[in-house]
Amino acid sequence: MAELLDDAAVTAALADLPGWERDGDAIVRTAELPSFPDAITVVDRVAEDAEERNHHPDIDIRWRKVTFRLSTHSAGGLTAKDTELAAQISARIDAAGR
């Protein structure tokens, strides 16, 4: 099982993850993409990344806005799995031209 990050580790990780915020036992980012198809493309790429890692975010799609919420449910909070996937999600958002 993945080890939980303490508050200092979460704060340090968020310093390197622009746009991500802590929300209790999760980290969250909402991005507005240029178009609905761009938003769906990002979600599709993130789905592939999540499957490879066997670590899946909660995703909410509202037209061009996509919200990603990460938490390691099996560990009961935030782990390195979350911050690593957050960085990958950010790269996907950036590549889509946000």
Side-chain angles (χ1 to χ4, degrees):
M1 179 185 302
E3 186 175 319
L4 287 174
L5 299 175
D6 63 22
D7 289 338
V10 173
T11 299
L14 288 175
D16 293 329
L17 293 168
W20 289 88
E21 297 178 353
R22 186 171 188 172
D23 183 15
D25 288 339
I27 54 175
V28 180
R29 178 171 179 185
T30 299
E32 186 167 336
L33 284 299
S35 68
F36 181 71
D38 290 328
I40 297 303
T41 297
V42 168
V43 169
D44 185 49
R45 298 300 175 266
V46 169
E48 293 170 359
D49 297 334
E51 277 297 298
E52 287 178 12
R53 290 169 162 44
N54 193 29
H55 189 61
H56 304 89
D58 293 333
I59 304 171
D60 182 51
I61 305 165
R62 310 281 173 137
W63 186 38
R64 298 182 306 145
K65 287 186 180 180
V66 182
T67 300
F68 297 95
R69 175 177 292 273
L70 292 165
S71 182
T72 305
H73 302 293
S74 61
L78 292 164
T79 69
K81 288 182 176 187
D82 301 305
T83 56
E84 291 166 5
L85 185 54
Q88 183 63 45
I89 290 170
S90 289
R92 295 294 187 185
I93 292 167
D94 292 345
R98 181 187 174 279

